[in-house]
Structure formats: C-alpha cells, structure tokens
Amino acid sequence: MISLRNVHKSYGHVQVLNGCSAEIRKGEVIVVCGPSGSGKSTLIKCINGLEPIDRGEIVVEGVSVGARGTDLPKLRARVGMVFQHFELFPHMTVMDNLTLAQVKVLGRGADQARQKAGALLDRVGLREHAAKHPGQLSGGQQQRVAIARALALDPVCMLFDEPTSALDPEMINEVLDVMTALARDGMTMVVVTHEMGFARKVANRVVFMDQGCIVEQAPSAEFFAAPKSERAQQFLSKVLEH
Amino acid sequence: MYEFDWSSIPGSLPFLWQGMMISLGITIVAVAAGIAWGTVLAVMRLSPSRPISLFATLYVSLFRSVPLVMVLLWFFLIVPSLLRDVLRLSHATDLRLASAMVGFSLFEAAYYSEIMRAGIQSVSKGQSSAALALGMTPLQAMWHVVLPQAFRNMVPLLLTQAIILFQDTSLVYVSALADFFGAAYKVGDRDGRLVEMLLFAGAVYFVLCSAASWGVRVLRRRVLA
Amino acid sequence: MDFGIFFSPVPTGETTYLGWLLQGLRTTIALSLASWVLALALGTLLGILRTVPNPGLRAFAGSYVELFRNVPLLVQLFVWYFVVPELAPGGHRFKQIDPFTQQFLASAACLGLFTAARVCEQVRAGIESLPRGQKNAGLALGLTLPQTYRYVLLPMAARLIVPPLTSETLNVFKNSAVCSTIGLLELTAQGRQLVDYTAHAYESFLAVTALYLLVNATIQLLMRAVESRARVPGYLGSRK
C-alpha cells in the first residue's frame, strides 16, 4: 500500500533522510523507532507530503506523492495523521473539530458528518465531551479526539508521529489502547514511537532508523529478541533498561 | 486675562453631533474595510507566489512611508474628478465623504496588514500542518483554522489601531469635510470663539479615546488573560 | 504627463516649481529634527519618571502620556497655534512675530511634545524589559538610584529601544505633514501649492510621494547603521 523507494531529503546542508526504502502492506502495523535526530518524524511527514522530498519516490495506493500533478489534499484525505501535540483546533468544539474536514474536504452533509463523528467519539469513549472545547480536555482525551478526527475521513492508513510523547505517564495507556484496538480492526498503521511495549505487542514489523538511514527492518519478535545491527542493539539496551 | 465665553457650544450641538456621526462613520467603515483588505494583504505577503507577495509588500511599504494627510489630499484632489470622468457623474455629486472613506480604508489596510501578519505568524505551525493533513487546501486551512485564531490573538491591537483611526479622522479637515473637529472649528471661526471650541473639541476627544483605551485594557485582562 | 513642469519658473520668478518642493522638503527636515530633539530629551526624562519608585512622579508622567495620546495631533496643533498665544503670558508678543516663525514654533512645540509621549513609552518599555536584578546589582554595589539609572539601566535600555525608535523617527517625518494645515509651507503644503498653480495634479503628487519615500529610505539606512553599532554582543537580538 505504501512504497518508499530511495528517499532523500536535506534541510540546507543537513542530510535528514539518506536513501530510505520500505514497503508497507495493507493491514500491517509498522513501528518506526530510533534515537532523536534519526529522521523518523521527517520520514512520516514525507508520506503525506507535508514535507517535500529531494530524491526518490513515495507511492501511496498507486499515487506518487512527489509527482507534479498529484492532488495532495485529495491524497491527504485518505491518509490520516495524528500529531505529537494533538493539534486540535482550539477555537472549535470537539464535534466541530470532527466534522469540519468531513464537510469541507469530503463534501458530506452536516447531519451525516455529525452522525459519523458521534459514532467515532463512542469508539474512543468520549461521546459526552462533544460540546466541549479542546482546552477543557486532558492531554490523553485530546489525543483520542485527534485520532477520531483523523478516522472521520475513512482513511486507508494512519500515520502517528510520536502520539504519546507529549502525554503525562498516566494517560499514555488510554491512547495506546485506542491504537491497539485500531490495529486489531485491521488498519494499516505507521507509528513513530518510543513505546517499546506497544511495538512488541502490536507491531508486525519494526523499522529502526539512525542518522537518516533505515538501519534495520525486521518482524517485531525477531527485532526485540535478536537485533542484527550494533546500533540497534545499543539503542534497545538503553531504551529497555526501564 | 482671556475671557472665556462658552455660549457657542449649546446652540451648535446638533451641528457638532452631525460632525461626530461623520467621524464615527468614517471610522467604522475604514476599520471594517481596513481589516478585511489588510487580512488579504497579510495572506498575500505569506504567499509562495513571488508576484503576489511582492505586490503586497510594496503596497504595505508605500502606504506606511507616506503621511496620511498626503494620501487624503490625493484622494480629495485627484480621485473625485477621476471617478466623475469614469462614472460620468454630475459635478454636483459630493464625493468627499466617499473619497475620504476609500482613502482611509486603503491607508489603514497597510497598518492592519502588519498586525494580521504578526497574528498569523503567532499561530503555531502545527495547526496548519494538522489542517493540511486532513486534506484541506492551504486556503481552506488559512480560512477555517489559522485566521480565526490569528484574529482572536490580535484583538487588542486591532482595537487600539481603531482608536488611532478615530483620532485620524480629524484630518478630513483638509478636504473641508465637516467631521466633528471640522464642525467645531467652523463654529469657533464663525462665532469668533475659536479658543473655547478647540478646547471643547480636545476635551471631547480626550474623554472618548481615554474611555475606549481603558475599555481595551479591561478586555485584555478579563477576556484574554 | 508633463514632468517638465518642475523646471518652469514660479509666477513670482525667484525659483522653479522644483525649487518650491525642495524648500518644502527643507522645512520638513528642519521641523522634524527640531521636534525629534525635543521629543527625545523630554521623552527620555518622562520614561525614566514612569519607572521610579515615587508614585507621584509616576502618576505625573502617566497623565502626560494619557493626555497627549488621547487627543488627535491635528487638534493639539490647532491648540498650540490658536489657543496658547491667547492664554499664555507673552502670547501677544508671539502673535507679532512673522507668520512662518509662528507656524514653525507652534508646529515644533506640538510635534515635540506629542512625540515625547510615544518616546516615553518606548523608554519605559526598554527599562522594564531589563532583568530586575540589574537595578538591584547596581544598588547593592552602593550606587545611588540616579547613578544606577545613569551607569547601568539607561545604557542598556538605550540600545534595546533603537528599533522602535527607528519607527518613531519615521513617524515624526510623516506627522510633520499635519502642520501644513496651519499654513506651514512644508513638503505636503508645497505639493498642494503646486497643484493649485500648475493644475498638474498627478505629477505634483508623484514628486511629493517620491520625496517622502526618499526621506524614508534614508532614515531606515541611517538607523540600521545606528542599530548595528548599538548591538550588545551576546544579548538577545544581537547577531555577534
């Protein structure tokens, strides 16, 4: 479903992505991990075209992301994204956050959009907060709303950019539970995260990045049992010490 | 010792009130049009298209580099005859108020555009990323997500600029249009009581603008803190 | 459009129309400089007063700012030109000086005191933006409060407020145009004269606009030079 072929990207003199290639099949859950500065957030932002690439190709469901004629808004409506800092729209209620894109991007009727939003809020357990503003919700609640907002457009896959990194520890699990349920329902997911427990239990594959390169890719059980590269071994030993 | 004689004031109140209506009218129109056009200019300045952002930058720089009096004179002396030729109106039509409103709006838009540009840049980049990620076009993201927040952040500055605009309406004096100040001057000149009328006008402006500034301060603390 | 009009002699013959414009420019520059000097001196003093411990002094400076900011500049100008000579002692002598000097003095006083209120706020903001510890460090060393202001606070504040003072300088030049309303023959007034005498409105206004833009550009260049000299190494905003 998603193909990355030899992706290069630099910011000025800094080479952020150095020839990354990967194939992601429908229904797979991929965890991207690595030390900070490894380019994992940038990589995920390139998949839906929020960041342009310099060289290489990214193809999502047959559509080339970097090609000149590509309708990016249309593509992005099919690829859901969840941000580290939630990025709910503070001047709108939760319900409006969920219906805005449905109406303006997909052209759905207001009633249909509200019904869908309500169903999704049920799914993430937050129906009673529909009339509130994001500022009135906790971090964990906001992130769950953000996931619902992305799901409202019926995406074919979901991208998560460090979804729990900005949360207090006691709220991390409520978000991971939603993500786990999503995976169980067969959603294709690419997740940048430090939550190794989630990776071990839910991910099909782990992609390890360091300094802009994909150093190692392996099914998650294999990766955690016996990482092949030295850098991956170092990283795991530091991260799993807790 | 100068002998004050305030008797001119009571009789001329209706005339002064008419003048005040003109002052307020120009202010309201220019604030509304100025914010609208200024927001468009601010968005144009941030546009990736070179010609568009260049035009907006030049417009803003030009109107911020010249005196308002000069712009008003330009609109008073040149534009009416231009409009009359183009629209074939009779020479009797009084275009002074219209040309004052247009001149003020175009001028103030440059100042409002700088305020809105700061406002747009004060909204975190993550917000527009989130909007784009949902499949909105950049224009949709700007209209639904960024501008509402930018506007809210800038309300105190927008109001303060409106108070300044209100004070600046006194400059329509150069076109002999009778706003509040022009009316006060006319009465003072006619009755030979210029001193009293000027002091009266000053006092009225002082009371109105102080009250308005105090209102903005209260708003800032209560609603936006 | 006929730009040759600028080189035709004026009806009274002593100069060309371009010469009139340049005379106006000279008056604008002289007025702006005079007002700016007054505004800087008075404004700095008031700005300091707004930050001293004495509440009476603070209130006085605060009231000054409120008064001069809430009355339109045009009204203030007319008060200086028409009201003050009537009410102030020696006013009748003022009315006997030649018109140009009367207009210039009233304009300079008005513009100077008006701008002083704005300079006061910039100076106050500059002083208040300094870390509290600076004043305490000065006092702890045994300096008196006036000495602390002179050697510690003001030198830093002065450097910090160069950028906002740049826009105030530009404002003084732009506001000088308001003084054309009492008959002072500065640049805008000369522009209007040109329109009246030559009936070539477009050319006249283009020339006046060009001259204001020229003044603007010059000031910005000068102030940028001042700014780079005034930068404090390592402090926020400096590039060294």
Side-chain angles (χ1 to χ4, degrees):
Chain A
M1 179 184 281
I2 303 178
S3 265
L4 290 97
R5 292 178 206 135
N6 200 21
V7 174
H8 290 260
K9 182 184 173 62
S10 57
Y11 279 129
H13 301 299
V14 182
Q15 193 69 26
V16 180
L17 294 177
N18 222 329
C20 302
S21 298
E23 295 287 325
I24 300 164
R25 288 181 293 277
K26 186 167 152 75
E28 272 199 290
V29 176
I30 312 284
V31 162
V32 181
C33 64
S36 55
S38 55
K40 31 189 219 298
S41 278
T42 312
L43 185 69
I44 208 176
K45 288 200 196 116
C46 291
I47 295 180
N48 68 350
L50 281 181
E51 293 280 356
I53 56 178
D54 298 331
R55 254 198 300 154
E57 210 189 1
I58 300 181
V59 181
V60 178
E61 281 238 311
V63 178
S64 170
V65 176
R68 194 84 68 78
T70 307
D71 188 345
L72 276 179
K74 203 160 170 202
L75 171 71
R76 289 172 184 152
R78 311 183 67 223
V79 176
M81 187 160 206
V82 176
F83 296 81
Q84 183 177 354
H85 295 285
F86 336 133
E87 302 298 350
L88 292 179
F89 305 136
H91 56 296
M92 300 175 167
T93 61
V94 164
M95 178 57 78
D96 288 336
N97 261 277
L98 294 179
T99 56
L100 177 68
Q102 290 189 65
V103 173
K104 298 293 174 187
V105 176
L106 295 182
R108 286 185 188 154
D111 289 318
Q112 188 194 4
R114 266 196 293 268
Q115 261 187 342
K116 175 105 195 164
L120 284 168
L121 284 175
D122 279 330
R123 200 166 155 189
V124 298
L126 289 171
R127 167 77 94 148
E128 66 269 23
H129 299 282
K132 291 201 185 146
H133 284 265
Q136 298 171 287
L137 303 177
S138 74
Q141 290 171 324
Q142 286 188 55
Q143 193 64 302
R144 284 188 277 153
V145 171
I147 295 175
R149 179 176 67 174
L151 289 173
L153 301 182
D154 293 316
V156 299
C157 64
M158 290 277 282
L159 307 174
F160 292 82
D161 185 4
E162 302 211 37
T164 57
S165 300
L167 293 175
D168 289 336
E170 65 265 20
M171 293 192 253
I172 294 181
N173 279 327
E174 69 193 57
V175 174
L176 290 180
D177 287 342
V178 171
M179 291 167 66
T180 306
L182 210 56
R184 209 164 296 145
D185 289 337
M187 175 65 77
T188 313
M189 295 164 62
V190 181
V191 185
V192 174
T193 186
H194 298 294
E195 293 294 323
M196 293 300 136
F198 174 83
R200 238 203 281 249
K201 271 188 290 172
V202 184
N204 300 114
R205 239 196 307 154
V206 175
V207 170
F208 176 74
M209 286 184 71
D210 191 16
Q211 295 184 349
C213 303
I214 294 184
V215 174
E216 190 173 331
Q217 292 187 52
S220 61
E222 246 180 71
F223 180 79
F224 285 106
K228 293 199 183 68
S229 63
E230 199 187 308
R231 279 187 278 179
Q233 288 168 6
Q234 279 178 354
F235 175 74
L236 276 183
S237 66
K238 286 201 200 115
V239 170
L240 295 177
E241 223 138 60
H242 302 272
Chain B
M1 184 58 224
Y2 183 82
E3 294 192 357
F4 285 95
D5 173 9
W6 305 94
S7 58
S8 285
I9 299 178
S12 54
L13 280 177
F15 183 55
L16 292 173
W17 177 252
Q18 266 181 354
M20 180 57 81
M21 287 299 102
I22 291 193
S23 296
L24 288 175
I26 297 176
T27 305
I28 292 172
V29 168
V31 167
I35 292 181
W37 179 221
T39 304
V40 171
L41 283 168
V43 173
M44 283 170 76
R45 275 191 84 158
L46 298 170
S47 156
S49 151
R50 238 17 249 321
I52 294 182
S53 72
L54 192 61
F55 168 77
T57 308
L58 287 177
Y59 180 104
V60 171
S61 303
L62 174 67
F63 277 98
R64 283 172 61 104
S65 307
V66 294
L68 176 56
V69 190
M70 201 206 76
V71 172
L72 290 177
L73 270 177
W74 165 269
F75 272 86
F76 170 56
L77 291 175
I78 298 188
V79 175
S81 54
L82 182 75
L83 281 181
R84 283 207 191 93
D85 292 336
V86 170
L87 299 175
R88 282 164 229 266
L89 302 166
S90 78
H91 271 264
T93 329
D94 188 1
L95 286 172
R96 283 181 306 178
L97 184 58
S99 66
M101 284 182 174
V102 172
F104 262 107
S105 302
L106 291 179
F107 183 83
E108 290 292 330
Y111 289 82
Y112 274 120
S113 121
E114 288 295 273
I115 295 176
M116 287 312 291
R117 187 164 71 104
I120 290 173
Q121 290 173 328
S122 75
V123 179
S124 89
K125 192 165 179 286
Q127 285 288 296
S128 62
S129 290
L132 291 174
L134 284 170
M136 291 192 227
T137 63
L139 230 51
Q140 280 178 322
M142 181 62 76
W143 178 255
H144 292 285
V145 175
V146 179
L147 282 181
Q149 297 184 58
F151 197 78
R152 223 160 286 219
N153 292 348
M154 291 290 127
V155 161
L157 283 177
L158 294 171
L159 288 176
T160 306
Q161 188 65 27
I163 297 175
I164 294 174
L165 219 173
F166 174 66
Q167 294 186 22
D168 284 343
T169 58
S170 55
L171 292 174
V172 295
Y173 174 81
V174 298
S175 62
L177 184 63
D179 76 311
F180 177 72
F181 173 72
Y185 182 84
K186 282 201 173 107
V187 172
D189 198 36
R190 176 197 72 191
D191 295 350
R193 299 258 72 98
L194 200 51
V195 170
E196 290 84 343
M197 292 313 291
L198 287 176
L199 288 175
F200 175 67
V204 170
Y205 275 110
F206 179 73
V207 167
L208 289 177
C209 295
S210 309
S213 307
W214 174 80
V216 175
R217 274 200 296 270
V218 166
L219 180 77
R220 209 177 201 152
R221 250 179 297 144
R222 280 279 198 82
V223 180
L224 302 162
Chain C
M1 277 201 241
D2 171 25
F3 285 101
I5 197 75
F6 292 121
F7 301 104
S8 325
V10 300
T12 45
E14 77 276 9
T15 180
T16 61
Y17 285 110
L18 182 62
W20 265 5
L21 278 185
L22 293 177
Q23 275 176 9
L25 181 62
R26 219 176 307 144
T27 307
T28 293
I29 294 177
L31 172 61
S32 306
L33 281 177
S35 314
W36 190 222
V37 167
L38 174 59
L40 270 178
L42 182 58
T44 307
L45 175 63
L46 288 167
I48 294 173
L49 286 183
R50 284 211 72 178
T51 62
V52 295
N54 183 321
L57 290 174
R58 280 207 311 269
F60 168 72
S63 315
Y64 179 98
V65 172
E66 278 306 293
L67 177 65
F68 282 85
R69 286 178 82 165
N70 286 310
V71 179
L73 179 59
L74 184 62
V75 178
Q76 293 185 33
L77 181 64
F78 272 56
V79 167
W80 279 100
Y81 190 62
F82 290 108
V83 177
V84 170
E86 296 293 331
L87 303 181
H92 53 276
R93 263 184 292 137
F94 177 82
K95 286 190 274 190
Q96 281 159 4
I97 327 176
D98 76 280
F100 177 81
T101 313
Q102 277 189 50
Q103 292 156 356
F104 191 89
L105 287 176
S107 302
C110 169
L111 204 49
L113 267 67
F114 174 82
T115 311
R118 302 174 66 106
V119 172
C120 162
E121 289 300 273
Q122 307 288 11
V123 171
R124 176 175 76 104
I127 294 177
E128 284 177 357
S129 78
L130 297 172
R132 281 187 169 259
Q134 289 284 297
K135 186 174 79 164
N136 291 336
L139 294 174
L141 283 171
L143 296 173
T144 65
L145 192 60
Q147 285 177 319
T148 308
Y149 268 94
R150 164 125 166 56
Y151 295 109
V152 176
L153 297 176
L154 288 179
M156 272 305 287
R159 285 176 175 78
L160 289 177
I161 61 175
V162 171
L165 282 188
T166 305
S167 55
E168 281 316 316
T169 316
L170 295 169
N171 283 336
V172 167
F173 269 92
K174 286 187 282 178
N175 287 334
S176 67
V178 175
C179 304
S180 62
T181 56
I182 55 171
L184 183 68
L185 284 177
E186 45 71 71
L187 184 55
T188 301
Q190 290 289 23
R192 195 169 187 174
Q193 282 238 53
L194 241 73
V195 174
D196 286 341
Y197 277 80
T198 67
H200 280 84
Y202 290 105
E203 294 88 330
S204 310
F205 270 112
L206 279 173
V208 171
T209 305
L211 284 171
Y212 274 114
L213 289 177
L214 188 66
V215 167
N216 215 285
T218 312
I219 294 178
Q220 289 196 325
L221 275 171
L222 281 173
M223 292 309 275
R224 207 170 296 174
V226 172
E227 224 179 302
S228 53
R229 292 276 214 78
R231 255 186 219 133
V232 180
Y235 209 81
L236 208 64
S238 74
R239 232 152 285 179
K240 304 209 181 93

